Amino acid sequence: INAGKEAITAIPGHSISDSSDAFGMMRGEHLHLTVLGGMQVSETGDLANWFIPGKKATGMGGAMDLAASCPYVIVAMEHTNKGKPRILPKCTYPLTAKVCAKKLVTELAVFEFRKDGLVLIEKVPEITLDQLKKITPAKYSVCHLYTSDAAD
C-alpha cells in the first residue's frame, strides 16, 4: 500500500521502507531532491498540495516533511484545473510549505523559482506566450534562451 492508501505492485528492483525510516530520511535531510504533486503554487514558490477547502481530507502524509526539509523541490501538476489557473500570485488553498518550490513542471511549461522571481524557462510550441499568460495569473518573466518556438 502506498502513501495514498492504494494497492501497489512490486516490480523487480523495488525498495520498500516503513514510515519511521521514510520520515527519518526526510527529517534527517538525507534527500536532496523530491518531486511533489501540486494543487496550487504561488509565484514565490509556496505549495498547496494536501487539502481543498470543502472537500474531505485524507491528511497531508509526508508532503509537509518533504517540502520543508528537501533542498530541491520540483512541483509537477496540470497547468489548470477545469479551466481555473493553478499558478497564482498567492495560493488560496491551505499551504503545505512556504517558498519551497525550485522548479514547476506542467504539461504546457516549465518555470524556475529564482531569487529575482518566477521565470518561464520552457514552453510547448503549441501555445503562444500570450495564451500562456492568460492562464497563468502569477507574475513571471521569460528566459528567451529556453523558449521552444521562435514565433513568439
Side-chain angles (χ1 to χ4, degrees):
I1 295 181
N2 68 12
K5 299 179 177 76
E6 302 167 318
I8 61 157
T9 301
I11 60 173
H14 74 277
S15 175
I16 296 174
S17 61
D18 65 16
S19 292
S20 61
D21 286 339
F23 280 94
M25 286 186 273
M26 288 184 267
R27 293 174 180 165
E29 299 181 2
H30 300 289
L31 302 175
H32 303 286
L33 181 143
T34 189
V35 180
L36 296 171
M39 294 176 185
Q40 293 181 340
V41 175
S42 77
E43 63 192 31
T44 60
D46 298 339
L47 172 63
N49 80 342
W50 72 279
F51 181 70
I52 299 173
K55 302 280 184 173
K56 183 179 178 185
T58 58
M60 73 175 57
M64 183 180 282
D65 291 276
L66 284 167
S69 66
C70 195
Y72 200 89
V73 176
I74 299 171
V75 177
M77 66 182 200
E78 292 178 340
H79 207 93
T80 61
N81 181 27
K82 298 177 184 173
K84 293 184 179 180
R86 298 173 86 185
I87 307 167
L88 305 167
K90 184 177 180 179
C91 294
T92 59
Y93 294 165
L95 295 182
T96 304
K98 292 184 67 72
V99 194
C100 67
K102 301 290 189 247
K103 187 173 277 191
L104 170 62
V105 180
T106 77
E107 77 281 11
L108 300 175
V110 179
F111 296 87
E112 284 184 349
F113 297 89
R114 299 180 181 173
K115 289 179 183 176
D116 57 343
L118 183 60
V119 180
L120 172 67
I121 62 168
E122 189 174 347
K123 69 171 190 62
V124 297
E126 295 82 17
I127 191 167
T128 67
L129 287 173
D130 287 338
Q131 291 170 323
L132 190 65
K133 186 63 184 166
K134 287 179 183 174
I135 59 172
T136 313
K139 181 180 171 185
Y140 64 90
S141 60
V142 178
C143 181
H144 293 286
L145 295 174
Y146 295 98
T147 53
S148 298
D149 68 54
D152 292 324

